[in-house]
Amino acid sequence: MTGRSVEDVLALEPLPQKLTGQVALVTGSARGLGRAYALRLARLGADVVINDLDLTANRRYDERLTPGCETVVDEIRALDRRSIGIEADATNEGQVRSMVGKIEEEFGRLDIVICNTGGALVPGPSVASEVPIDDFQRMMDLNFMSAVITCQAVAPIMKRQGRGRIVLVGSQAGLRSQGA
């Protein structure tokens, strides 16, 4: 994208730059809600790390990005913010620790983490009485353990800094039954 920011293209009003100088990580942010969180953080002044299994996942779901941008990383950069994309599985402790190491190496800090990885991304039934145990374990890894792994990986940086914010994204599906 040349000469025009995402805000210009989408005709968005500028936001107060209250996150200038801060670095944010959003897991599961190549599309959907994660993308929205990442763009909002960037519009508030933060540099943003985009994490997903596939940084071009928007294509698979036919989600359009800002014209001229191939990835959410490009959209963040079009807002004149620093951004890197890291393909890593948030359910894999080694990959998450490696990702956090890259973030610290690139930016020297990490102030905000949004644990957005999750969803009902397994085939077949998700009703508790019918779901195969392997699929249930995958759902627990995706929706719960990914957050635990990410929080454990970022905690040492935030403790050294003496500050940091972690946001855990959930779903209303955890509050109601989908049948027996």
Side-chain angles (χ1 to χ4, degrees):
M1 237 174 99
T2 56
R4 299 179 66 198
S5 74
V6 174
E7 289 171 325
D8 292 337
V9 171
L10 299 179
L12 298 172
E13 296 212 12
L15 295 174
Q17 299 300 288
K18 53 186 163 183
L19 300 180
T20 298
Q22 295 189 41
V23 176
L25 162 65
V26 183
T27 66
S29 55
R31 65 176 197 88
L33 285 174
R35 172 182 175 250
Y37 300 141
L39 290 172
R40 182 67 173 203
L41 289 164
R43 291 186 62 228
L44 288 167
D47 295 328
V48 185
V49 177
I50 303 303
N51 160 249
D52 217 306
L53 288 171
D54 174 6
L55 295 176
T56 61
N58 65 292
R59 295 176 191 163
R60 192 171 49 248
Y61 292 90
D62 207 22
E63 181 178 328
R64 289 187 199 166
L65 301 183
T66 306
C69 294
E70 294 293 315
T71 66
V72 179
V73 171
D74 297 328
E75 290 184 302
I76 303 298
R77 290 176 180 165
L79 291 167
D80 291 324
R81 303 292 175 255
R82 291 174 57 200
S83 183
I84 60 172
I86 301 174
E87 289 183 345
D89 181 347
T91 68
N92 181 299
E93 183 179 3
Q95 289 184 32
V96 172
R97 291 197 182 279
S98 176
M99 172 177 65
V100 171
K102 288 177 189 173
I103 294 167
E104 191 168 29
E105 183 179 301
E106 177 76 21
F107 294 97
R109 62 182 304 113
L110 184 56
D111 304 284
I112 303 163
V113 175
I114 299 184
C115 296
N116 176 66
T117 298
L121 302 176
V122 295
S126 62
V127 178
S129 63
E130 299 171 16
V131 67
I133 293 300
D134 288 345
D135 288 350
F136 179 79
Q137 184 62 57
R138 178 70 183 136
M139 291 280 288
M140 289 300 293
D141 289 347
L142 188 62
N143 290 286
F144 176 67
M145 289 306 298
S146 64
V148 172
I149 290 167
T150 301
C151 289
Q152 287 182 349
V154 303
I157 296 172
M158 291 182 170
K159 286 179 181 179
R160 280 194 303 274
Q161 293 173 169
R163 67 182 307 270
R165 286 169 272 175
I166 298 174
V167 178
L168 303 175
V169 177
S171 166
Q172 68 178 357
L175 301 175
R176 60 184 163 80
S177 171
Q178 294 183 357

